[in-house]
Amino acid sequence: MLFRSVHTTRTSVVCTRVYRAAEGLGPVVHTTTIGRSAEGLHLREHVEIPDGVDDVPRVGVELRLAPGFEALEWFGRGPHECYPDRARGALLARHVSTVSDQYVPYVMPQEHGLHVDTRWVTVGNPGLGVTVGAAFARPGAFSASHFTAGDLTAATHDVDLVPRAETVLHLDHRHRGLGTLSCGPDTLAQYRIGAGTYKWNWSLQLLRSPGGRATRRG
């Protein structure tokens, strides 16, 4: 990160982060405006990706939840992982699982566990009876894991991975399709993410419920 600033208004907190892109290109600027809503916190995201950047993996936010947030529920596609260019085989419905069960043991550790067309997702901590709930204003994508992207990149085989106690929750406005030319054709152009302006809204709330799972409708 090159720069970060935070300022407040009467009704919101605005956080701006500036990241270095590839050499010779302008920076990536991500601005989050946080306000109150009926659902808890309402967040407006604004991301500027500079010209010259033609293929990024995702546009979204990452949350790190304390150990114990394991109970998982969402309304979107599932129950198995699905990506923008591989979603028709996944049922659009309400699904219940665990964070640990989202891991897909590819021999070469890699991105896994995404669910597209998601309306809302909750991650509960049964020990505390607390649930973190996130909802997209328009359908987005999420993944929940006990591994960071860095963990997956550093490992050369699945046995090299050691799960973290905390939960890594990705909430994505856009996500790249599958394919890296490692075996077969690369991702089609319409499923790539390039330069431009990306805006989306979502809400975040803490809920107390028996067993650490929220009761959601939808």
Side-chain angles (χ1 to χ4, degrees), residues 44-140:
R44 301 197 309 271
E45 308 286 354
H46 183 116
V47 173
E48 295 280 352
I49 298 179
D51 291 340
V53 177
D54 61 1
D55 196 1
V56 298
R58 68 196 335 146
V59 176
V61 298
E62 178 188 291
L63 304 182
R64 298 285 182 93
L65 306 181
F69 283 88
E70 179 68 14
L72 184 65
E73 188 171 351
W74 74 96
F75 187 93
R77 294 197 180 272
H80 52 77
E81 67 173 10
C82 53
Y83 286 76
D85 55 349
R86 197 184 74 181
R88 290 186 180 179
L91 180 66
L92 180 63
R94 185 172 182 164
H95 302 279
V96 176
S97 184
T98 65
V99 174
S100 295
D101 283 346
Q102 296 302 296
Y103 175 64
V104 181
Y106 294 112
V107 174
M108 178 70 176
Q110 57 193 279
E111 164 68 29
H112 62 270
L114 191 75
H115 298 280
V116 299
D117 292 335
T118 296
R119 276 63 167 176
W120 55 261
V121 56
T122 66
V123 188
N125 186 327
L128 295 177
V130 174
T131 295
V132 174
F136 294 95
R138 294 183 178 179

Side-chain angles (χ1 to χ4, degrees), residues 87-204:
R88 290 186 180 179
L91 180 66
L92 180 63
R94 185 172 182 164
H95 302 279
V96 176
S97 184
T98 65
V99 174
S100 295
D101 283 346
Q102 296 302 296
Y103 175 64
V104 181
Y106 294 112
V107 174
M108 178 70 176
Q110 57 193 279
E111 164 68 29
H112 62 270
L114 191 75
H115 298 280
V116 299
D117 292 335
T118 296
R119 276 63 167 176
W120 55 261
V121 56
T122 66
V123 188
N125 186 327
L128 295 177
V130 174
T131 295
V132 174
F136 294 95
R138 294 183 178 179
F142 88 93
S143 63
S145 178
H146 291 301
F147 305 104
T148 67
D151 295 335
L152 299 172
T153 301
T156 57
H157 196 279
D158 60 349
V159 298
D160 298 329
L161 289 171
V162 178
R164 294 172 177 260
E166 62 265 36
T167 291
V168 181
L169 180 63
H170 282 281
L171 302 170
D172 294 328
H173 169 60
R174 292 282 303 276
H175 197 287
R176 188 187 195 273
L178 299 173
T180 59
L181 285 178
S182 61
C183 55
D186 201 356
T187 305
L188 296 176
Q190 62 263 39
Y191 298 114
R192 296 188 187 187
I193 305 169
T197 299
Y198 299 87
K199 299 179 181 180
W200 71 100
N201 299 338
W202 61 288
S203 61
L204 181 68

